Amino acid sequence: MKKIRWGIVGLGNIAKKFAADLSLVPDCVLQAVASSDALRAEQFAQKHKAQKAYSNYDQLFSDPEVDLVYIASLHPKHADLTIRALAGGKGVLCEKPLGMNSAEVDQMVSQASQANLFLMEGLWTRFNPSFNQVKKWIDEGQIGALRYIHASFSFNGLAKGKDSRLFHPDKGGGSLLDIGIYPLFLAYYFLGIPGEIDAKAHLTEEGVDAQLSSILSYPKAQAMLYSSFIHDQYMGATLCGEKGEIYMYSRWHEATQVKLVKQGEEQIKSFEFSGLGYTYEIEEANRCFNANETQSEKWTWQNSIDLSRLMDAIRAQVGVNYTADTLLPNRKKFNKS
Ligand SMILES: NC(=O)c1ccc[n+]([C@@H]2O[C@H](COP(=O)([O-])OP(=O)(O)OC[C@H]3O[C@@H](n4cnc5c(N)ncnc54)[C@H](OP(=O)(O)O)[C@@H]3O)[C@@H](O)[C@H]2O)c1
């Protein structure tokens, strides 16, 4: 079978990790890379053995030798770059969050649907073996009806400063979109869309969430979620059912160990990651591309739309607004009544 030819645009921190993992996945190659900085593109291409280096994203999007594009730029660029890549006839794996808000995600999905091209949000945790083990235990009914999820994601990013992508509003700063998306994903994946959300945040002077807590209420369950850029912590996740519990060890979103506790007995499963763990989402994108599937059944377009709507709702409650939100229709409907 012909190798799938990948392109990467936005050659920063995550792009380096992704490119290293891409080299571990069979049947695909890094064909081209593009950066706003020509030297960065050249050096990246050399290090990761890409055939071509572009200093213009659109040249990569129109390169007939590229099949799939990985968008690794800052959140506010995701929608525009994805739409341009799709317009160039490329399938797209775009970093999380897929868009700044649900209006952007709707546009991206609509473009992929019209063009009949692959689009997936790079929510890599969904494809990791430890997450699949947790899903298996829950699907088997090992812990019975799920009643409680507790998950958090935080690290101390203060030293990066207010101009960094973590804190600057124009760079999509704020903990929810960057890391709070993972706890929200866990609750949404296993419990669905909550009936109510109660969110509280401490905002920076620039108006982004430095620290954010949400309680998601379901008819018979609750989820307590937390994200922050101002301190480190042990980052485990807990899922409790009527018959047992599951613990995902720190850092749970990339856990290599998970534990089932049931009737006083413990079962621990450990997994060796292939690379840093981005290999699994790459394999899924490759599988979809080869099967002519425009979306992954493991993390669908609707899943990304739902997640973005939940983030819109949480942001509306705590008062975090971005320039992209002018596109959001009926923003008030997300406010707490
Ligand atoms: N899945 C994960 O584990 C994971 C981990 C970290 C980040 N991420 C996601 O990956 C994305 C990038 O994060 P990162 O940490 O890699 O970011 P980064 O290193 O700060 O920047 C990535 C690229 O974005 C472009 N960029 C940076 N600042 C810009 C600006 N002011 N204006 C326009 N473009 C700018 C640059 O692209 P050029 O090279 O073209 O100049 C840069 O190389 C984020 O959306 C984040 O959510 C995911």
Side-chain angles (χ1 to χ4, degrees), residues 12 184 286 289 294 333:
L184 191 63
N286 285 349
F289 183 80
T294 54
K333 80 181 174 196

Side-chain angles (χ1 to χ4, degrees), residues 10-15 34-37 40 57 72-75 77-78 95-97 122 124 165 171 178 182 278:
L11 305 180
N13 295 319
I14 192 63
S35 168
S36 62
D37 182 309
R40 185 152 60 239
Y57 297 154
S73 191
L74 307 189
H75 324 334
K77 304 280 176 195
H78 289 180
E95 257 309 332
K96 40 54 64 175
W124 63 308
R165 75 166 189 85
K171 295 179 183 169
D178 197 41
Y182 290 102
Y278 300 102

